Amino acid sequence: MKNIRVVITGTVGAGKSTFVKTASEVDVVEIERNVSDSDRENSFKETTTIAFDFGRLVLDANKNLYIYGTPGQTRFDFMWDILIKGADAYILLVTANQPSSFSYAKDILAFMNDRVQVPMVIGLTHTDCSGALPAAEIVKHLGIANAEHCPPILNINPREKHSIMKALQVLTDQTI
Ligand SMILES: Nc1nc2c(ncn2[C@@H]2O[C@H](COP(=O)(O)OP(=O)(O)O)[C@@H](O)[C@H]2O)c(=O)[nH]1
Ligand SMILES: [Mg+2]
């Protein structure tokens, strides 16, 4: 059995905590507090993750996943630093119907790329919501439209187990 550390990152409200909860076979450790006023303007949520979410999943006969969800706020990026440096692979979640968050998602991607070169997948969430932009459009905003090695881009609904299982399969297939 191979242990694989997977980081789930992305913007506030993209679905990171939901992803970890849906994935995990053990009770998720989630560290939250009330959102600050500045975040409240950009979010409908009352709480936000301040440290990280942690879960565990046996994906198949030879993959034991440790799953860490990052906090979504820049001022906690020391935590991203710690998490990403220990990651074997990561998923960047982007809220497809929130164009205002795309530049922040691009910043996250740059932050990660600066620190690690590990397999990754871009997961578009909220694609079932009105106003969701097409993948080709979003990828342009992330600055990877013409990248030589464009990472896999998937629609992910973090509330659905089959959806996150597929994403984790695509991700971890790249780690072998
Ligand atoms: N309709 C829909 N709701 C989603 C999707 N992904 C996440 N959500 C919801 O968005 C909200 C924020 O998710 P959360 O996991 O707390 O975001 P985080 O800030 O990234 O940890 C929750 O109410 C989720 O159920 C999606 O793909 N579709
Ligand atoms: Mg969260």
Side-chain angles (χ1 to χ4, degrees):
M1 183 87 89
K2 192 177 167 194
N3 292 327
I4 304 175
R5 281 169 303 193
V6 174
V7 165
I8 310 300
T9 189
T11 52
V12 175
K16 303 176 296 295
S17 297
T18 307
F19 188 112
V20 178
K21 248 181 249 170
T22 304
S24 189
E25 287 158 356
V26 298
D27 282 347
V28 167
V29 179
E30 194 180 8
I31 306 167
E32 292 199 318
R33 64 156 177 73
N34 292 336
V35 295
S36 63
D37 288 342
S38 62
D39 286 318
R40 205 181 299 274
E41 286 163 24
N42 306 318
S43 174
F44 50 90
K45 302 194 329 156
E46 288 298 317
T47 60
T48 191
T49 307
I50 57 167
F52 58 87
D53 305 306
F54 174 72
R56 182 176 168 264
L57 168 71
V58 177
L59 188 62
D60 58 37
N62 43 36
K63 288 177 192 154
N64 179 38
L65 307 189
Y66 295 105
I67 306 173
Y68 302 83
T70 63
Q73 298 169 297
T74 29
R75 66 179 170 281
F76 294 113
D77 66 4
F78 69 94
M79 188 54 78
W80 297 359
D81 197 72
I82 293 166
L83 293 175
I84 199 62
K85 283 179 178 161
D88 296 309
Y90 72 97
I91 297 179
L92 173 69
L93 296 182
V94 183
T95 311
N97 68 341
Q98 198 183 73
S100 61
S101 71
F102 295 164
S103 73
Y104 186 35
K106 186 180 178 180
D107 291 347
I108 295 174
L109 196 54
F111 180 95
M112 299 303 180
N113 278 335
D114 271 355
R115 283 158 180 81
V116 290
Q117 299 302 318
V118 293
M120 65 92 63
V121 161
I122 294 177
L124 306 181
T125 63
H126 294 80
T127 56
D128 57 318
C129 299
S130 69
L133 293 175
E137 186 85 14
I138 297 169
V139 163
K140 266 191 252 167
H141 286 278
L142 299 179
I144 51 173
N146 300 314
E148 205 173 311
H149 301 291
C150 191
I153 299 158
L154 306 171
N155 289 350
I156 298 177
N157 189 331
R159 305 202 276 201
E160 293 176 2
K161 185 105 178 177
H162 72 90
S163 180
I164 58 114
M165 293 294 269
K166 183 174 167 237
L168 288 169
Q169 201 72 58
V170 171
L171 181 72
T172 56
D173 281 352
Q174 300 179 73
T175 65
I176 295 163

